[in-house]
Amino acid sequence: MRVLITGAAGFLGSHLADRFVQEGHTVVGMDNLITGNMDNIAHLMGHKRFSFIKQDVSNYIYVPGALDAVLHFASPASPNDYLEHPIPTLKVGSLGTHNTLGLAKDKGARYLLASTSEVYGDPQVNPQPETYWGHVNPIGPRGVYDEAKRFSEALVLAYQRSHQMETRIVRIFNTYGPRMRLNDGRVVPNFIHQALLGQPLTVYGDGSQTRSFQYYTDLVEGIYRLLLSAENLPVNIGNPNEMSILEFAQAVVEIAGSKSDIVFVKPQDERIADDPKVRRPDITKARTLLGWEPRVSLRDGLAETIEFFRSRIH
Ligand code: UDP
């Protein structure tokens, strides 16, 4: 296959590019580098089956040659980033999804959208199955991301129904691993960074809010299987191992062998407005349709991620 990956210089986009190149496919990576980083794909530059185009997919995009698949992973994805770039976040989820769908239609390519557990908002159902419609505040600080992704799902389904396109939607739950930005503001880089520097880990609120963390290799496997499957409707890919943020902080301190304290803070800005109180994927659909389930334990995944951040800090 020859595949276009938007957001290819990001955390997930770059790992996906690696996987497709390893499988023998040809990858065209695209990124405008507002949150992506060329370091993530430096090792691919010069590879005969990889090329890179620096472009903003919210503007008209042109890609010469045939394409068999388009994977749309471009978007700011950390709450800090989408608070800092609210309009680009809305544009890449709406105009960027429209442009990449148009490109896929033109090329007769299969289309895969990176959606998110944020479409469920602050859920009133736990765990969240794909049939849950969500509980989202459209005008809160997270609305720019959540609504952009909800709109993009609607657009993908409209293209699939109107143009009989082959489309896939992956709803990605919290994912971590090497190549996350040390300063992206999310809980995994924040806590690891703090633990490695011996600074206190900053738990927002009382730390009772929950998340379920998956290692990036599990996610990449799920996405690869989903692309090759026949499922047009959204599929959750996440690790159902739910824990409170306080428990997560304790795990990071222990696995990093850190002496850091854990403190409870209330950030001054809007960062924790509408912070979902629980989040856990129901992965029955992925298990049944894709034969997929997560393989990597939190301990192993965190150990590798801590090593990555340790090398960056030094
Ligand atoms: N969080 C925290 N301390 C931090 C950063 C985040 O306690 O330094 C909390 C945040 O309030 C949320 C959870 O960790 O409840 C996950 O936040 P993240 O930004 O990683 O992503 P989200 O899952 O909210 O999109």
Side-chain angles (χ1 to χ4, degrees):
M1 289 191 287
R2 183 165 187 261
V3 307
L4 173 71
I5 301 177
T6 75
F11 163 48
L12 296 181
S14 65
H15 284 302
L16 271 178
D18 282 343
R19 174 66 186 263
F20 279 84
V21 167
Q22 275 159 24
E23 296 281 347
H25 305 299
T26 297
V27 174
V28 180
M30 191 175 273
D31 206 298
N32 68 352
L33 303 175
I34 67 166
T35 58
N37 185 339
M38 290 302 286
D39 288 349
N40 291 335
I41 48 172
H43 60 288
L44 287 173
M45 299 302 279
H47 191 289
K48 64 182 187 309
R49 281 185 282 99
F50 182 81
S51 58
F52 178 75
I53 307 173
K54 181 173 181 290
Q55 197 165 320
D56 184 346
V57 297
S58 300
N59 299 322
Y60 178 81
I61 49 176
Y62 171 72
V63 178
L67 285 175
D68 303 292
V70 172
L71 288 82
H72 184 30
F73 277 72
S75 179
S78 108
N80 265 15
D81 287 340
Y82 49 78
L83 285 175
E84 194 173 323
H85 306 288
I87 296 171
T89 301
L90 281 159
K91 285 172 76 175
V92 76
S94 53
L95 305 175
T97 304
H98 190 216
N99 290 334
T100 49
L101 276 166
L103 178 74
K105 175 169 158 274
D106 190 43
K107 304 278 189 189
R110 188 171 283 205
Y111 187 88
L112 187 143
L113 172 72
S115 186
T116 167
S117 54
E118 283 281 329
V119 300
Y120 302 122
D122 184 9
Q124 293 164 309
V125 170
N126 197 40
Q128 296 84 51
E130 291 86 348
T131 47
Y132 178 52
W133 290 356
H135 181 229
V136 171
N137 174 4
I139 57 167
R142 289 174 177 259
V144 296
Y145 184 66
D146 302 8
E147 295 297 359
K149 290 293 188 184
R150 289 166 69 94
F151 174 86
S152 53
E153 288 198 5
L155 196 59
V156 167
L157 264 295
Y159 266 68
Q160 187 251 307
R161 290 175 181 135
S162 301
H163 301 302
Q164 291 72 50
M165 279 175 65
E166 288 279 358
T167 63
R168 310 284 179 265
I169 296 174
V170 55
R171 289 190 180 148
I172 300 171
F173 283 66
N174 293 67
T175 306
Y176 68 96
R179 301 188 194 162
M180 291 184 100
R181 277 185 3 253
L182 205 53
N183 61 347
D184 90 356
R186 283 187 279 191
V187 70
V188 175
N190 273 12
F191 282 3
I192 294 179
H193 198 179
Q194 292 159 343
L196 291 177
L197 296 181
Q199 296 169 350
L201 274 64
T202 53
V203 169
Y204 297 162
D206 65 4
S208 65
Q209 69 274 33
T210 69
R211 293 295 186 273
S212 311
F213 296 98
Q214 79 177 323
Y215 198 51
Y216 78 97
T217 52
D218 284 328
L219 173 70
V220 167
E221 180 62 29
I223 291 170
Y224 198 76
R225 289 186 190 205
L226 176 62
L227 180 71
L228 301 183
S229 80
E231 179 58 22
N232 272 317
L233 295 174
V235 178
N236 291 338
I237 299 287
N239 191 322
N241 178 23
E242 182 182 13
M243 61 178 62
S244 73
I245 292 300
L246 178 57
E247 288 169 323
F248 182 65
Q250 290 160 343
V252 170
V253 169
E254 194 230 300
I255 296 168
S258 168
K259 295 189 168 56
S260 289
D261 294 328
I262 295 173
V263 295
F264 297 92
V265 300
K266 190 172 183 331
Q268 301 303 309
D269 57 23
E270 302 175 295
R271 247 177 291 170
I272 59 170
D274 303 331
D275 194 358
K277 283 178 269 312
V278 293
R279 181 181 291 157
R280 175 186 183 173
D282 180 330
I283 59 165
T284 310
K285 196 169 172 184
R287 275 204 175 101
T288 315
L289 282 181
L290 311 177
W292 174 90
E293 60 182 14
R295 301 258 171 237
V296 181
S297 67
L298 186 73
R299 181 165 291 278
D300 291 349
L302 271 183
E304 283 191 35
T305 310
I306 288 166
E307 279 324 300
F308 168 81
F309 281 121
R310 205 190 294 275
S311 69
R312 287 297 153 111
I313 289 173
H314 297 313

